[in-house]
C-alpha cells in the first residue's frame, strides 16, 4: 500500500497573526524549528510564510519590523491527509515549494508536510521494518528521525 500523507505529516501547525513583525516571525521559526508558519487574521488562515519568504525579505532590504502579512503567500498549496506521498511530491515539484499545508475534508489546516519529511520516508520505513511493525505501516504514523 502507498504511504499516505497522514503518516508523515507533522501535526500542530504554528500560527502567527498577520500583524506580527517579520523579525518576530523569523524568531518563531527558529525557536520552534519549523520552516513554515500559518498566517492568520481574525483567527482565519490568510496564507503562509516560509523561510524562503523571510530570506527574500532580508535580501531585498525590507524593514523587518513590517508586518508578516506583507510577505505572506496567499495562494496556499494544500493536500488532504489521505493523499499519497507520490501526490505530495508531485505538488511540491510542480509548484517548486518545500511545504504543503495538510487539510481535513472541509479544508481546515491540520498539519504540514515538508520536503524533508518526504525525502526521509525510506529511512522511517526501514526503522519500522527493523522493529517488526511493518504489517500495520499503512495505519500508523511513521516516526520522525530529526
Amino acid at each position: 500500500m502507498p504511504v499516505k500523507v497522514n503518516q508523515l505529516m507533522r501535526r500542530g501547525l504554528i500560527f502567527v497573526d498577520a500583524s506580527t513583525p517579520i523579525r518576530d516571525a523569523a524568531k518563531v521559526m527558529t525557536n520552534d524549528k519549523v520552516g513554515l508558519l500559518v498566517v492568520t487574521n481574525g483567527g482565519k488562515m490568510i496564507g503562509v510564510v516560509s523561510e524562503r519568504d523571510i530570506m527574500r525579505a532580508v535580501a531585498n532590504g525590507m524593514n523587518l519590523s513590517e508586518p508578516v502579512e506583507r510577505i505572506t503567500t496567499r495562494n496556499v498549496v494544500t493536500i488532504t491527509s489521505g493523499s499519497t506521498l507520490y501526490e505530495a511530491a508531485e505538488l511540491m515539484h510542480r509548484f517548486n515549494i518545500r511545504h504543503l499545508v495538510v487539510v481535513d475534508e472541509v479544508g481546515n489546516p491540520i498539519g504540514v508536510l515538508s520536503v524533508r519529511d518526504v525525502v526521509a520516508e525510506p529511512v522511517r520505513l526501514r526503522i519500522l521494518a527493523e522493529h517488526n511493525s511493518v504489517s500495520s505501516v499503512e495505519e500508523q504514523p511513521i516516526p520522525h528521525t530529526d
Side-chain angles (χ1 to χ4, degrees), residues 51-122:
E51 54 203 355
R52 283 182 177 178
D53 297 325
I54 301 279
M55 289 178 65
R56 260 192 300 272
V58 170
N60 291 331
M62 198 168 183
N63 179 349
L64 301 182
S65 296
E66 292 284 330
V68 75
E69 180 176 29
R70 298 257 336 260
I71 62 169
T72 296
T73 300
R74 300 209 181 245
N75 296 324
V76 179
V77 181
T78 62
I79 193 163
T80 60
S81 62
S83 298
T84 66
L85 190 59
Y86 179 79
E87 292 167 321
E90 264 191 343
L91 281 174
M92 288 178 177
H93 178 72
R94 183 179 329 137
F95 291 100
N96 192 30
I97 56 176
R98 294 187 280 182
H99 299 89
L100 292 170
V101 173
V102 183
V103 296
D104 62 17
E105 308 78 35
V106 293
N108 295 318
I110 58 170
V112 68
L113 183 73
S114 73
V115 70
R116 187 176 185 176
D117 299 326
V118 173
V119 171
E121 183 269 337

Side-chain angles (χ1 to χ4, degrees), residues 33-67:
K33 297 179 178 137
V34 296
L36 185 82
L37 301 172
V38 176
V39 180
T40 61
N41 191 351
K44 295 190 127 194
M45 180 174 82
I46 63 164
V48 295
V49 65
S50 71
E51 54 203 355
R52 283 182 177 178
D53 297 325
I54 301 279
M55 289 178 65
R56 260 192 300 272
V58 170
N60 291 331
M62 198 168 183
N63 179 349
L64 301 182
S65 296
E66 292 284 330

Side-chain angles (χ1 to χ4, degrees), residues 8-23:
L8 297 175
M9 71 182 215
R10 295 180 186 254
R11 297 179 192 279
L13 292 163
I14 307 296
F15 297 88
V16 293
D17 188 78
S19 63
T20 302
I22 296 168
R23 178 178 289 105

